[in-house]
Amino acid sequence: MHSSLYKPEQKEEVIALFKKTFTDSEGEKEGALIAKLATDFLTFPVKKCDIFVFIAQDESHRIVGSIIFSRLTFSNDCENVFLLAPVAVATDCHGKGIGQGLINFGLETLKNAGVSVAITYGDINFYSKTGFAPISEDLIKAPLTLSYPEGWIAQSLLIGESIKPIKGKPTCLQAIDNPDYW
């Protein structure tokens, strides 16, 4: 398995992966919703430093996993926090460690880029395998109302440091600034 940064010429394959993976697991409506999210992330204009898209490819170069990290912006503009969402691994590749490996690759890349905190919103049982732990919105607020507050999880990317409270409510990139995703 090979993990790397996404290239624009891989856009259609990445979108198809998100659509199929979420359709297989959650149904057509969810597959279409997450495909739209991936499409928006890959097509809306953003600064290059505000988004990281990673892929995992098998030995035949088929994209079997993809993750997206996008910047959360706070009013003090001094925080370097990224949100992990969405995450997809091809259904026929589940249980092989591809998602965990891809997330760890992404987190290491973010660390090297000076990111201090990674946050995601999802299944603690899965994401805890890559170092995420539940946090309260007293520590870091979500940009939109969470329908499942227990799923607000994060980790410090600064060696030996815990997550420090951040004042104010962040904004997220336009692609994910929709209550349907939260």
Side-chain angles (χ1 to χ4, degrees):
M1 206 58 50
H2 174 70
S3 296
S4 65
L5 283 165
Y6 149 91
K7 296 180 183 95
E9 60 268 19
Q10 298 166 318
K11 179 172 86 172
E12 294 307 319
E13 190 177 357
V14 167
I15 292 167
L17 171 72
F18 279 106
K19 183 173 186 172
K20 179 158 180 26
T21 300
F22 280 87
T23 296
D24 289 351
S25 66
E26 306 291 330
E28 277 189 42
K29 185 177 177 186
E30 189 73 6
L33 181 70
I34 302 305
K36 180 182 179 345
L37 175 60
T39 300
D40 291 348
F41 267 131
L42 300 178
T43 57
F44 285 173
V46 295
K47 289 188 241 171
K48 188 175 179 181
C49 63
D50 286 345
I51 190 168
F52 290 85
V53 182
F54 300 97
I55 60 165
Q57 292 177 292
D58 65 13
E59 43 292 327
S60 68
H61 302 288
R62 176 178 72 124
I63 296 175
V64 295
S66 183
I67 61 175
I68 300 174
F69 283 95
S70 58
R71 185 180 301 281
L72 293 180
T73 303
F74 293 82
S75 60
N76 67 11
D77 218 22
C78 295
E79 307 302 333
N80 203 354
V81 178
F82 275 73
L83 174 71
L84 168 60
V87 171
V89 172
T91 305
D92 63 321
C93 295
H94 285 187
K96 298 179 180 178
I98 294 167
Q100 291 174 43
L102 190 54
I103 291 169
N104 285 327
F105 178 81
L107 292 170
E108 192 61 34
T109 302
L110 291 176
K111 280 181 200 175
N112 292 336
V115 174
S116 57
V117 176
I119 293 182
T120 193
Y121 180 49
D123 179 4
I124 183 60
N125 294 317
F126 174 74
Y127 291 106
S128 65
K129 295 174 185 175
T130 56
F132 287 90
I135 62 167
S136 160
E137 283 198 85
D138 293 336
L139 191 61
I140 300 175
K141 293 191 180 340
L144 281 85
T145 302
L146 300 173
S147 58
Y148 174 67
E150 301 80 18
W152 193 232
I153 53 183
Q155 66 176 285
S156 172
L157 299 181
L158 302 174
I159 296 171
E161 291 191 32
S162 60
I163 298 172
K164 309 279 189 282
I166 301 174
K167 291 183 181 180
K169 189 172 190 167
T171 57
C172 53
L173 293 185
Q174 179 186 357
I176 199 164
D177 191 13
N178 178 335
D180 291 343
Y181 302 128
W182 298 87

